[in-house]
Amino acid sequence: MSVANWSGEDYRRVSGLQRSVAAETLSELVLTGDECILDIGCGDGYLTREIAGRLNGGFVVGIDASPRMVSAAERDDAATAAGPRFVRADARRLPFARCFDLAVSFNALHWVPQLDEALGAIAAVLKPQGRS
């Protein structure tokens, strides 16, 4: 299967509606601040950084299958050593095991073929009391 290699810069220019909808949902997300969070389909990292800004003692990892999206996210985050981390990964085969308290995805999972595989992979990266 080929991986879509979306442009982070192009996405940033046209993603206003997606960001607005996701920001509204994010504003309702209850966090304690010390969670370990996985952002699936992080795109250019905008919402991943918004999540990181709400954490005090926790951390967030953004994943995206598109190398250009991850590159754009890393470029924008290069100045903050304590900021989120970005990893190129397929949601169906996540390179983590039982380490996240919470998994979120905004406007991304509908692009994943074999969604059942992705949901299984997401469940596998959550701690026993984790939520998605």
Side-chain angles (χ1 to χ4, degrees):
M1 180 186 93
S2 71
V3 172
N5 197 6
W6 298 81
S7 165
E9 288 76 22
D10 290 345
Y11 182 75
R12 187 175 295 117
R13 282 192 295 277
V14 300
S15 62
L17 177 61
Q18 291 90 341
R19 286 183 184 197
S20 175
V21 170
E24 186 176 325
T25 302
L26 183 59
S27 72
E28 297 177 13
L29 184 63
V30 176
L31 298 173
T32 61
D34 62 351
E35 293 93 347
C36 300
I37 301 173
L38 179 63
D39 181 11
I40 302 152
C42 68
D44 65 0
Y46 175 81
L47 290 166
T48 313
R49 285 186 289 281
E50 291 292 310
I51 294 167
R54 295 181 55 192
L55 300 177
N56 180 18
F59 70 89
V60 61
V61 175
I63 66 118
D64 203 287
S66 169
R68 289 170 48 195
M69 286 290 218
V70 172
S71 291
E74 290 174 330
R75 245 187 332 274
D76 286 350
D77 203 53
T80 60
R85 296 294 171 247
F86 298 98
V87 175
R88 182 176 171 253
D90 184 321
R92 298 167 300 169
R93 291 178 288 285
L94 296 170
F96 312 104
R98 301 254 178 249
C99 57
F100 293 99
D101 300 299
L102 175 65
V104 297
S105 183
F106 303 95
N107 302 308
L109 288 177
H110 62 282
W111 291 105
V112 178
Q114 299 92 28
L115 183 57
D116 57 331
E117 290 179 30
L119 295 175
I122 293 166
V125 302
L126 292 172
K127 294 177 182 176
Q129 301 303 315
R131 58 191 171 117
S132 59

